[in-house]
Amino acid sequence: MIGMNFVSFLILLIISIVVSAILHYVLKFYIRPGLISFVGKVIFGWIGAWLGSPVFGYWFDGLVYENIYIIPAILGSLVLLVIMVDLVLSVKSASADKT
């Protein structure tokens, strides 16, 4: 997946934008509100979508483009974003408790 074509990049980007928008604007699951926070989610969501198929497996051949399996990519994006937000909020909370 290192040498992906532009269409594969766009598929992962669309998955990342949709998952990030749902988490950020619909569920209000963010570190801070605003566009910069959303853009950060899109970047990390893309990385999660890119790692989704290698980590969760290559399954459900009905939704696949080249080597990108859509459902594992969605799960990868979602999982990485939830872990990222939870880690930052936990560190932020722990540092606030010390002061």
Side-chain angles (χ1 to χ4, degrees):
M1 293 205 20
I2 297 285
M4 73 174 65
N5 60 16
F6 187 68
V7 175
S8 299
F9 172 82
L10 283 179
I11 290 171
L12 293 177
L13 185 63
I14 290 168
I15 289 170
S16 174
I17 289 171
V18 169
V19 171
S20 298
I22 290 170
L23 284 176
H24 192 82
Y25 293 113
V26 176
L27 298 177
K28 307 284 190 218
F29 188 68
Y30 47 67
I31 299 160
R32 63 179 204 182
L35 184 63
I36 300 298
S37 180
F38 175 71
V39 171
K41 271 193 191 63
V42 170
I43 292 168
F44 281 99
W46 188 91
I47 294 169
W50 179 61
L51 293 173
S53 294
V55 171
F56 291 113
Y58 301 98
W59 45 276
F60 199 65
D61 290 330
L63 292 172
V64 63
Y65 175 78
E66 289 194 2
N67 207 16
I68 297 174
Y69 289 76
I70 304 299
I71 294 175
I74 292 170
L75 290 175
S77 180
L78 181 66
V79 166
L80 188 63
L81 289 174
V82 168
I83 289 172
M84 180 193 70
V85 170
D86 280 344
L87 275 174
V88 172
L89 289 177
S90 296
V91 168
K92 198 179 209 184
S93 173
S95 66
D97 290 342
K98 287 184 179 181
T99 57

